[in-house]
Amino acid sequence: MKITRFSRIGFILAAAGSAVGLGNIWKFPYITGEYGGGAFVLVYLLTVLLIGFSIMLAEMLIGYLGRKDTVTSFEELAPKHKSLWKFGGFQGIAGLLIMVFYSVVIGWIFNYIVTSLTSLPSSVKEAEETFNLMLHTGFYTQFFYHTIAFLVVTYVLHKGIKGGIEKINLILMPALIIILSVMFIYAMTLDSFSRSLEFMFAPDWSKLSSEAFVTAVGHAFFTLSLGMGAIMTYAASMEKGTNIVKAAFWVVFLDTAIAIVAGLMLFTFLYQYGSGPAKGPGLVFISLPAAFYEMGVLGNIFAVLFFVALAFAGLTSAVSLVEPMVQYFIDRFSWSRLKASVMMGGFFWLVGIITILSGLDGAKEFLTWGGKNFFDWVDYITAAIMLPLGGLIMAVFVGFIMPKSQVEATMQPFLGWAFAPWYFSLRYITPVAMFIVMLNLMGIF
Ligand code: PHE
């Protein structure tokens, strides 16, 4: 089998492409709205800096040294109890589960690109009706666009690391950055920009419930693509000698910058032309289109550009959500890339149909438990539980299981004096923080 590797810039763009996704542009703004702004943003930023960055390095290290699918990498790097540690690699399953709703949301975005070309809703109420119509009754529309997302992702995956994943990121990532920059510069010229700044950065601690705290930590993992082996799998195809620390820095920087830029821009538009920070997943699908309407023709152009950028962000992440399991079946079961891509794609395509049904009138009643429907449950279980748990396993693995000499030999040249604080953070800060999150999730405090 021919081994292909990312070029250096290809790796950074692919890893950043994985990180920058619906999490940054769709989820971050709406959960920030939901949990009241500033304080939530601060917890998120601190988690990214103190925990996210260290785990990103740990994940890259395991992939870089393991050179194989995640399961094999864990197995080979564990000095003993190999058959136990290999389970650390099965976190890739979380990616497939995330795709079960991610692909459906990418489908909504495709639909919005098409409809924004011709018309925008003239009020929030109308926008809400349109969105709800799609959600509650639009089975075929959602199914159609979800299928397109499945086809694109599967096609890219079957083309492999160089011809598929690197290529799509080399094109879509710069395009995304250009589109967002243009729109952000425009937002900066509006009066409401300062209100948006205040909403995002002036913390109101009374709004920080323990649920907000867990969501912020969970989101930091989700947005950096940590804890499920996406970054690890990409790192396995890194060119030898790539500076891991530099690469991780760029990924964390781009991901955070894009989330902040998207949030500031959207809240500016919502203050200026709309109804203020909306709460809930409808933010970009309901409040935003209504705000774009108020801008006139420019609004139409912006709406299309915005949804195109969002689709680009979503697709590059989607590919990375599925690749770990594709790589797993190639390495462990000698499947062809085509077979592995089609099988994994087929899985999220089929189960994705349940996600669509869970919003649909007549079906959603059967797919809702304890106030959360199937979609919410999959989102919650993956982002709040599986990814932090995966991150914890990686931190413990690099911090305590791999021989320190091996970790040091690879990381010291890149990290220098920062090696000791990084190692400390992996061994003590991350596990303690994750433990608190877990206790909180179990309702213990
Ligand atoms: N980071 C992606 C986003 O923000 C989602 C993702 C999570 C991708 C985990 C890969 C792995 O949308």
Side-chain angles (χ1 to χ4, degrees), residues 18-19 21-24 98 102 222-225 228 230 317 320-321 387:
S18 168
L22 303 183
N24 302 58
I98 293 173
Y102 213 83
F222 183 86
T223 190
L224 292 173
S225 300
M228 60 135 293
S317 299
S320 79
L321 282 161
L387 301 188

Side-chain angles (χ1 to χ4, degrees), residues 54-364:
S54 337
I55 297 191
M56 172 81 63
L57 287 176
E59 219 187 303
M60 283 189 182
L61 177 71
I62 301 174
Y64 179 76
L65 292 177
R67 302 262 103 187
K68 278 281 178 20
D69 68 284
T70 52
V71 175
T72 313
S73 293
F74 266 99
E75 195 177 51
E76 281 183 2
L77 292 175
K80 45 183 192 243
H81 307 303
K82 287 181 185 291
S83 52
L84 185 71
W85 276 107
K86 80 173 190 209
F87 284 98
F90 283 111
Q91 274 298 325
I93 294 170
L96 279 186
L97 291 180
I98 293 173
M99 273 307 280
V100 161
F101 66 85
Y102 213 83
S103 167
V104 174
V105 178
I106 295 179
W108 298 350
I109 298 165
F110 285 160
N111 182 28
Y112 270 68
I113 298 177
V114 175
T115 55
S116 312
L117 279 172
T118 51
S119 66
L120 288 171
S122 62
S123 65
V124 174
K125 200 165 156 282
E126 192 187 325
E128 200 166 353
E129 280 163 14
T130 316
F131 181 68
N132 284 335
L133 207 65
M134 177 187 78
L135 207 63
H136 298 323
T137 61
F139 177 79
Y140 290 108
T141 311
Q142 293 187 74
F143 177 74
F144 175 73
Y145 286 112
H146 164 59
T147 304
I148 295 194
F150 149 73
L151 289 174
V152 176
V153 171
T154 307
Y155 176 78
V156 172
L157 284 170
H158 113 277
K159 297 290 269 180
I161 295 281
K162 263 259 182 269
I165 299 175
E166 175 162 317
K167 212 173 203 170
I168 190 178
N169 279 292
L170 281 177
I171 302 168
L172 299 193
M173 283 307 284
L176 163 87
I177 292 173
I178 294 172
I179 295 178
L180 286 183
S181 308
V182 170
M183 292 179 67
F184 183 66
I185 292 171
Y186 176 76
M188 281 168 68
T189 65
L190 300 174
D191 300 337
S192 302
F193 187 70
S194 54
R195 271 183 81 187
S196 172
L197 266 177
E198 192 183 320
F199 177 72
M200 281 202 33
F201 294 112
D204 174 356
W205 295 108
S206 67
K207 287 196 175 139
L208 197 71
S209 61
S210 67
E211 190 188 326
F213 182 82
V214 173
T215 308
V217 177
H219 183 68
F221 275 83
F222 183 86
T223 190
L224 292 173
S225 300
L226 292 176
M228 60 135 293
I231 296 293
M232 193 184 293
T233 304
Y234 280 5
S237 296
M238 225 190 285
E239 225 171 66
K240 276 270 176 236
T242 304
N243 185 329
I244 301 182
V245 177
K246 236 195 214 159
F249 167 81
W250 274 107
V251 176
V252 173
F253 171 77
L254 280 172
D255 187 74
T256 311
I258 290 180
I260 300 286
V261 160
L264 281 174
M265 171 182 102
L266 295 187
F267 291 129
T268 306
F269 290 155
L270 292 175
Y271 276 123
Q272 188 88 15
Y273 298 107
S275 42
K279 301 180 173 72
L283 188 146
V284 305
F285 296 108
I286 298 174
S287 328
L288 192 66
F292 281 140
Y293 174 84
E294 297 295 323
M295 288 186 198
V297 188
L298 183 66
N300 269 86
I301 299 173
F302 270 13
V304 174
L305 281 178
F306 175 77
F307 285 113
V308 166
L310 193 53
F312 286 0
L315 286 172
T316 51
S317 299
V319 166
S320 79
L321 282 161
V322 191
E323 174 66 9
M325 290 314 280
V326 169
Q327 195 66 49
Y328 169 73
F329 281 101
I330 294 176
D331 285 352
R332 307 284 289 211
F333 294 86
S334 307
W335 283 11
S336 69
R337 196 164 247 288
L338 180 65
K339 178 175 175 189
S341 312
V342 171
M343 294 298 263
M344 297 305 109
F347 173 84
F348 77 73
W349 178 71
L350 276 176
V351 186
I353 296 173
I354 305 181
T355 309
I356 301 179
L357 291 174
S358 77
L360 232 57
D361 286 344
K364 64 169 181 269

Side-chain angles (χ1 to χ4, degrees), residues 42-53 216-217 220-221 434:
L42 218 67
V43 175
Y44 153 79
L45 285 177
L46 282 176
T47 315
V48 166
L49 276 179
L50 295 179
I51 303 176
F53 189 60
V217 177
F221 275 83
M434 290 302 106

